[in-house]
Amino acid sequence: MSQGDSLGERGAAPAPAAPPTLLVVEDDPEVRLVSTALDANGYRYLCASTGREAIASAATNSPDVVLLDLGLPDMDGVEVVRAIRGWSKTPIIVVSARSEDSDKIAALDAGADDYVTKPFSVGELLARVRATLRHLSYLGEAVSSPRKAPARARFD
Ligand code: CA
């Protein structure tokens, strides 16, 4: 019945199948490309344009996936990966113009889960997001479940 709803705007009521929330960290115009694609595909997303904002938003909003540019104005994206990994297992997909092996290795070893080089195709990026969400569901994380409260901080 309710097909064709394209906007991720659902007020405060948790829908039965809440769309995953992504945090898009990007200071370049590509952010528009990404956010348009996410909109069109029913994802909810938050944006951050600096490393500090990204870390704060990841801590406050518990996104399901982080899409992270490495070239940020205030700090290197690899540092953002390390900071988020200090307390969170949220999947991080790096989206970067840096295509050297050493950059990929540094980002992945710092805790990133995947690495997409710019220029990227939106189709590939979305497929990687889907793959990441699939892995989460294999691991039993509550993505797309009714209650997506931050219920994962109790593993001591
Ligand atoms: Ca950038």
Side-chain angles (χ1 to χ4, degrees), residues 37-112:
L38 294 177
D39 258 343
N41 287 273
Y43 290 100
R44 295 195 297 191
Y45 61 91
L46 308 153
C47 291
S49 56
T50 67
R52 274 174 229 280
E53 240 182 82
I55 293 165
S57 183
T60 310
N61 299 304
S62 303
D64 295 301
V65 179
V66 177
L67 298 179
L68 175 68
D69 179 34
L70 292 184
L72 297 170
D74 59 337
M75 59 199 285
D76 193 278
V78 174
E79 296 305 317
V80 176
V81 174
R82 283 205 190 93
I84 292 176
R85 276 294 166 269
W87 81 88
S88 169
K89 292 186 214 159
T90 301
I92 300 172
I93 303 175
V94 167
V95 184
S96 177
R98 301 179 197 168
S99 57
E100 298 292 321
D101 275 358
S102 57
D103 292 312
K104 296 179 185 172
I105 291 166
L108 292 166
D109 278 348

Side-chain angles (χ1 to χ4, degrees), residues 25-30 49 69-73 95 118:
V25 187
E26 173 67 86
D27 64 316
D28 297 328
E30 273 108 346
S49 56
D69 179 34
L70 292 184
L72 297 170
V95 184
K118 296 178 187 174

